[in-house]
Amino acid sequence: MTTTFITPEMLADLSAGAAFLATGGGGDPHLTYLSACEGLKQFGPAKMIGPQDLSDDALVVAIGAVGAPTTSLELLPSVDESITALQAYKDLTGRTVDAVVSFEIGGGNSLIPIVAAAANDIPVIDGDGMGRALPEATMMTYAIAGIHPTPAVALDYAGNTELVEADTAEAYERLVREFSMKRGGMALTAEFQMTGAEMKACIVPETVSLSIQLGKILRSREGSAEQLAARIAQVFDASIYGEFKKLYSGIVADMSTTVIGGYDVGRAVISPLQADGPSLAIDIKNEYLTAHLGEQLLASVPDLICILDYETAQPINAERLRYGQRVSVFAIGCPDHYRTPEALKVVAPRCFGFDFDYTPLEHLP
Amino acid sequence: MRIGIDVGGTHTDAVVLDGDQVVVAHKALTTADVATGIRNALAFLSDNGADMAAIDAVMIGTTQFTNAVIERRELSPVAAIRLGLPSGRGMVPKLGWPDDISTALGDRDYMIHGGYLYDGQKLSDVDDEEIDRVISDLKSRSVRTAAITSAFSPLNAEPEKYVAQRLRAAIPDMVVTLSHRIGRVGLLERENAALLNTALLAFADRVVRAFEDALLDFGIRCPVFISQNDGTLMAADFVREFPALTFSSGPTNSLRGAARLTGLEEAIVVDIGGTTSDIGVLKGGFPRESNMVVEVGGVRTNFRMPDIQAIGLGGGSLVSDNGKMIGPQSVGHRLVTEALIFGGETLTATDIVVAAGLADVGDASAVSDLPDDLIANGLATIRQILEDGIRSMKPNSDPLPVILVGGGAILAPQELSHASQIHTPEHSGVANAIGAAIAMIGGEAERFVNYTDTPRDAALANVTKAAESLAVAAGADHTSIRTTEIEETPIPYMDKGATRLRVKVVGEVAQLKGNGPET
């Protein structure tokens, strides 16, 4: 059994790694980071175990935030909110909870279950339901594996709770989003309860520890993005992710997004650092979804596309990307969880409005 | 006529402007007490043809308040009162601050109910009993300064105003900063800004009095203004309330001065000093602002700051690798003794341009035997560094004029790719003081709006009106007000049309209407 104790110091690495895995989305994790640090100072380190270390009949529930990251700039998270959400879940559903897990490693949602685990002296599982950031609950590997999201509990900033029941993951997604919009724009949810056995079959494993390793490299400031690439590649090589590729280094030559249907939709064009050559175009819908060199596709969702500052190797999310920045673009093959026919029904390029099918990263030039 | 004064960390620059004309300019060392440096500058101006009786206004830019925060001095203890419960439980004020500055402000932190949500609904009701408890605690601990912050106060500031009114009624000598007056959306950063501001109030009072005394000594009785970080002015009395708004006004004044010296409103400005070059962008004659969180003395704030990129190239930058490497190390202000052309033994960027015959500084014979390939490499490296920096600051791919200011401007080549023209204006060495002298009064308002409920035109008119009344309150002449910036940020994951709308307006100083240089 591998047990890790997550300390406030490790949260800084975890949130830096989570910013990398957010593939351009996920919002600024700073507030969640501050809140989680306070939580661990209060309750002590959180115990993290690997998915295989939870017994098959134990019950695990996913905890995280749903809503508009912009509103949490004013409506601050509470240090105890994940604890309250977990308690409300137990009270309203009458179920027991033996462990908690994140539903999204990309961005602040990687940190939220950790405080609940520390306070309740139960483990947080090393893994998540996305292996990256994605916009909807229906895209979680838990949903794809057929785990029912409800009964779920939504919690607002004031501690008001609502038991949510829905017949499908799509209906559930709409209900929790409505709840969050009516309650100040942000809500915490406890959802997708699974047995240990079910969790093992669908979780993207070991993404929390991978994120901590990544964050450690990124925060070392020991080189430019290209210089750190070999060390980052080693982390992915030893993981369930696929191939790690450097796609491009260049200068952002154009960047525009507009809001369509509640999402930031747009395109960034990155031109070569020196001399002439084809530009790289990145299509954005909250996250970086596709990369084209001229007409040639280089990578697409569900594989990960990450943009780092060329000099400092710090991840840049889509709302911070701007004209003239020097950047390095990397792609990482997604875990096999997203390459099944069932998964591709919800995460293939066509699900995001693109007119082409998914080709795995390793089959692209 | 106007006097512009820029009090920097090293130099105090002063200039007398008659309309657009520089009558006399002076560069002197900043003194420890600042006021002596200003008196010295005024004495020089007075002795060199400036008629002090004909001065209509004095504009001062100063780094004293930024430096006080960075050096953790002159800071008073402040109570932090936040209205946002039941949200943010456990997220105490000053979270994440460096210990030394957190300690300097004391431990009086109060979190109470109140504030609003993004959609205009109340987050929670203000609780009078909670406020009573805050008041009695402040009284018992003799705390007389407080920063008050409520959730979404840029949208609805009533809760902040209400608490301020209760505090003042109960404690007559209470001094407060209301966060909506100083920062924008982003509660923690706005609260930090309000706390730093409040901690500087007592110091601000002393600084403004010292300025006023120095001017009175020279018989100058006209209005006195201090420049803010966004390139606009505030009346000196306003600084007694909002000293933190002066943070980062130095680079802003240099950008504004460059705009005035060239008449350009859209340009890149490169201020080349001894160690670094500051690159900024002029948009409509004002500096483009940073959309990033800005740290002041290790504290995250969301002040209106110019978007400046500092690159490691200056007149004193060290040259190595046969000219292929220049900076970021520099001899700094020791340039005048250590560079080859000044009889020193260090090869600097300035030596390269003198050796190439592109500048006439110091003793050119001291560099006459530098190898040609070293000179050629050095010039190419300087050009490359500048071009990379300029490219990364440009708003888009179109070429823009480049304005060079600062003592190191001689380093720049005659041509730069990405530059449509290159300007090196006269008096560029005192661009900061000129920028202070020509500043205008501004106002800014920000709201969350929904274009589905409120048509864009109506929303824009509302926010513009709010900005205009702020500008008038700060001393602007209302007939001269124009909008300089409209920023619309769509909010992801929200309803269609949900947008953060920010409008900025500027106007001329009301007292100067008719005799000021701007028409």
Side-chain angles (χ1 to χ4, degrees):
Chain A
M1 185 184 235
T2 54
T3 302
T4 310
F5 285 93
I6 300 183
T7 60
E9 294 70 40
M10 288 160 79
L11 293 178
D13 290 335
L14 173 53
S15 56
F20 181 96
L21 293 172
T23 61
D28 180 355
H30 183 71
L31 285 169
T32 327
Y33 163 71
L34 285 178
S35 165
C37 280
E38 288 303 295
L40 291 194
K41 279 181 206 156
Q42 208 172 322
F43 300 107
K47 185 167 112 176
M48 179 169 74
I49 60 171
Q52 296 309 323
D53 301 327
L54 191 71
S55 72
D56 280 352
D57 54 359
L59 291 170
V60 56
V61 72
I63 300 181
V66 175
T70 320
T71 66
S72 57
L73 290 175
E74 289 286 324
L75 187 69
L76 299 183
S78 289
V79 173
D80 60 10
E81 63 187 8
S82 63
I83 305 164
T84 314
L86 182 59
Q87 191 57 47
Y89 182 84
K90 292 195 268 195
D91 293 346
L92 292 175
T93 64
R95 297 183 177 198
T96 54
V97 176
D98 302 310
V100 288
V101 67
S102 162
F103 50 64
E104 181 182 42
I105 192 71
N109 270 335
S110 58
L111 300 160
I112 290 175
I114 292 172
V115 176
N120 284 280
D121 201 21
I122 55 174
V124 59
I125 306 295
D126 186 2
D128 77 298
M130 288 184 171
R132 48 171 298 152
L134 285 166
E136 288 171 19
T138 50
M139 298 171 175
M140 287 182 208
T141 57
Y142 311 145
I144 293 164
I147 307 291
H148 199 63
T150 66
V153 167
L155 169 85
D156 76 359
Y157 66 90
N160 297 306
T161 52
E162 194 166 289
L163 180 66
V164 186
E165 292 282 2
D167 57 346
T168 63
E170 291 79 8
Y172 172 72
E173 164 70 27
R174 278 196 301 277
L175 288 174
V176 290
R177 209 159 281 278
E178 268 168 35
F179 176 90
S180 90
M181 297 323 299
K182 278 190 228 146
R183 306 289 190 150
M186 257 300 167
L188 236 67
T189 60
E191 57 188 31
F192 284 101
Q193 190 170 49
M194 305 165 266
T195 64
E198 286 170 330
M199 179 269 291
K200 290 169 202 178
C202 65
I203 193 168
V204 185
E206 286 156 17
T207 50
V208 178
S209 47
L210 176 123
S211 189
I212 293 172
Q213 288 177 59
L214 277 179
K216 200 166 277 173
I217 296 169
L218 298 171
R219 289 181 67 236
S220 72
R221 305 263 173 164
E222 281 166 2
S224 67
E226 291 192 4
Q227 287 164 334
L228 293 183
R231 289 171 62 190
I232 296 171
Q234 278 175 4
V235 173
F236 284 107
D237 283 350
S239 77
I240 52 129
Y241 288 82
E243 190 178 343
F244 173 89
K245 267 189 190 175
K246 182 199 143 188
L247 295 187
Y248 201 83
S249 283
I251 295 171
V252 180
D254 192 27
M255 170 69 194
S256 66
T257 57
T258 48
V259 170
I260 302 175
Y263 296 100
D264 255 351
V265 179
R267 166 173 273 221
V269 177
I270 302 167
S271 56
L273 279 179
Q274 309 285 346
D276 291 335
S279 295
L280 187 78
I282 307 278
D283 282 305
I284 302 165
K285 184 175 173 186
N286 287 2
E287 280 86 32
Y288 303 129
L289 296 181
T290 71
H292 282 89
L293 190 67
E295 294 297 302
Q296 176 61 53
L297 180 71
L298 294 189
S300 84
V301 69
D303 291 329
L304 288 71
I305 297 168
C306 305
I307 301 186
L308 303 189
D309 183 89
Y310 179 79
E311 270 93 21
T312 66
Q314 299 310 294
I316 305 173
N317 61 14
E319 68 251 32
R320 295 253 191 259
L321 195 67
R322 60 161 206 224
Y323 178 86
Q325 269 173 329
R326 299 208 284 174
V327 298
S328 291
V329 185
F330 299 96
I332 302 107
C334 64
D336 288 339
H337 301 65
Y338 278 134
R339 293 181 167 189
T340 63
E342 295 74 33
L344 289 171
K345 275 181 206 156
V346 288
V347 296
R350 289 190 193 277
C351 308
F352 296 85
F354 299 104
D355 191 21
F356 57 88
D357 291 316
Y358 171 61
T359 308
L361 181 66
E362 60 274 23
H363 299 156
L364 289 168
Chain B
M1 287 196 284
R2 296 175 170 195
I3 292 180
I5 300 173
D6 182 77
V7 184
T10 316
H11 287 109
T12 296
D13 298 347
V15 56
V16 176
L17 282 191
D18 185 4
D20 273 0
Q21 296 304 310
V22 176
V23 178
V24 51
H26 183 60
K27 204 171 187 69
L29 289 175
T30 297
T31 54
D33 67 347
V34 177
T36 305
I38 292 179
R39 281 196 174 85
N40 294 343
L42 290 172
F44 181 91
L45 300 181
S46 173
D47 294 347
N48 286 273
D51 176 7
M52 292 304 185
I55 301 298
D56 302 308
V58 177
M59 282 75 170
I60 304 174
T62 177
T63 55
Q64 284 160 284
F65 300 110
T66 320
N67 292 345
V69 171
I70 292 168
E71 296 164 23
R72 278 78 162 120
R73 52 177 181 80
E74 314 284 359
L75 301 173
S76 320
V78 183
I81 303 174
R82 184 198 297 163
L83 295 89
L85 286 181
S87 75
R89 299 177 301 278
M91 299 281 278
V92 293
K94 303 196 282 270
L95 200 56
W97 285 33
D99 287 342
D100 53 358
I101 188 161
S102 176
T103 308
L105 268 67
D107 61 355
R108 292 297 88 205
D109 300 327
Y110 306 96
M111 291 166 66
I112 60 179
H113 286 75
Y116 281 82
L117 298 173
Y118 79 96
D119 56 3
Q121 303 293 312
K122 271 188 185 170
L123 190 158
S124 62
D125 287 316
V126 172
D127 179 344
D128 275 306
E129 285 178 18
E130 281 180 338
I131 301 173
D132 290 340
R133 284 198 291 276
V134 172
I135 289 171
S136 70
D137 195 59
L138 289 174
K139 276 183 174 168
S140 73
R141 291 166 192 274
S142 306
V143 177
R144 292 293 177 267
T145 47
I148 305 171
T149 310
S150 72
F152 276 110
S153 66
L155 190 87
N156 188 331
E158 283 312 312
E160 289 184 0
K161 291 179 184 165
Y162 180 72
V163 173
Q165 177 210 324
R166 293 269 341 255
L167 255 56
R168 286 188 182 120
I171 310 174
D173 56 344
M174 195 75 202
V175 176
V176 298
T177 301
L178 306 189
S179 80
H180 74 279
R181 301 287 304 277
I182 200 159
R184 48 172 77 152
V185 168
L187 188 142
L188 283 191
E189 288 80 13
R190 187 174 68 251
E191 177 178 75
N192 290 347
L195 283 165
L196 292 181
N197 187 69
T198 316
L200 287 166
L201 289 174
F203 182 48
D205 197 51
R206 292 197 296 278
V207 167
V208 173
R209 195 171 311 139
F211 286 167
E212 287 170 347
D213 288 350
L215 293 168
L216 274 179
D217 288 352
F218 287 85
I220 302 172
R221 291 168 195 284
C222 61
V224 179
F225 297 90
I226 313 276
S227 52
Q228 308 187 58
N229 45 24
D230 64 351
T232 61
L233 293 170
M234 45 186 168
D237 265 345
F238 202 70
V239 181
R240 290 192 158 102
E241 276 185 82
F242 298 107
L245 292 181
T246 64
F247 290 169
S248 202
S249 58
T252 300
N253 282 339
S254 124
L255 278 150
R256 291 273 299 146
R260 173 51 56 99
L261 287 168
T262 57
L264 294 170
E265 296 222 317
E266 309 286 325
I268 302 276
V269 178
V270 186
D271 188 342
I272 308 182
T275 303
T276 59
S277 301
D278 287 342
I279 305 179
V281 181
L282 282 171
K283 231 174 94 183
F286 283 83
R288 179 175 77 194
E289 286 178 10
S290 169
N291 60 2
M292 305 293 256
V293 167
V294 186
E295 286 199 354
V296 182
V299 177
R300 278 167 70 103
T301 69
N302 56 2
F303 281 114
R304 300 166 297 181
M305 295 282 202
D307 188 5
I308 298 289
Q309 182 173 343
I311 57 174
L313 175 71
S317 294
L318 305 189
V319 179
S320 58
D321 193 14
N322 198 31
K324 288 178 184 156
M325 178 85 188
I326 296 187
Q329 288 78 27
S330 166
V331 294
H333 64 270
R334 298 188 315 274
L335 176 71
V336 290
T337 51
E338 296 195 6
L340 300 180
I341 51 163
F342 295 120
E345 292 179 354
T346 312
L347 179 61
T348 66
T350 303
D351 293 316
I352 296 286
V353 291
V354 171
L358 298 172
D360 182 18
V361 187
D363 175 12
S365 69
V367 290
S368 57
D369 57 350
L370 290 186
D372 287 348
D373 61 332
L374 167 63
I375 297 169
N377 287 342
L379 292 177
T381 307
I382 290 171
R383 180 172 176 161
Q384 187 65 47
I385 294 172
L386 284 171
E387 286 181 348
D388 284 349
I390 289 167
R391 181 159 58 169
S392 75
M393 291 297 284
K394 274 172 53 194
N396 56 48
S397 51
D398 301 332
L400 267 182
V402 170
I403 308 170
L404 301 167
V405 297
I410 50 165
L411 292 190
Q414 303 294 310
E415 262 182 49
L416 289 164
S417 42
H418 318 297
S420 57
Q421 311 145 330
I422 298 179
H423 299 263
T424 313
E426 202 192 346
H427 299 301
S428 67
V430 290
N432 287 18
I434 292 170
I438 58 153
M440 298 199 281
I441 305 248
E444 182 186 299
E446 181 181 74
R447 300 281 187 275
F448 277 81
V449 294
N450 194 319
Y451 292 153
T452 337
D453 306 338
T454 316
R456 185 173 176 278
D457 288 352
L460 202 53
N462 287 340
V463 182
T464 306
K465 209 172 147 201
E468 285 175 358
S469 28
L470 287 173
V472 170
D477 167 51
H478 73 97
T479 58
S480 67
I481 288 181
R482 64 186 171 97
T483 302
T484 51
E485 214 175 302
I486 296 170
E487 187 184 281
E488 296 171 276
T489 315
I491 304 163
Y493 292 105
M494 302 277 272
D495 300 340
K496 193 170 166 50
T499 302
R500 193 158 94 192
L501 179 60
R502 188 160 67 88
V503 175
K504 198 163 148 179
V505 302
V506 294
E508 286 173 36
V509 177
Q511 291 90 330
L512 291 182
K513 189 172 159 37
N515 57 8
E518 289 125 3
T519 50

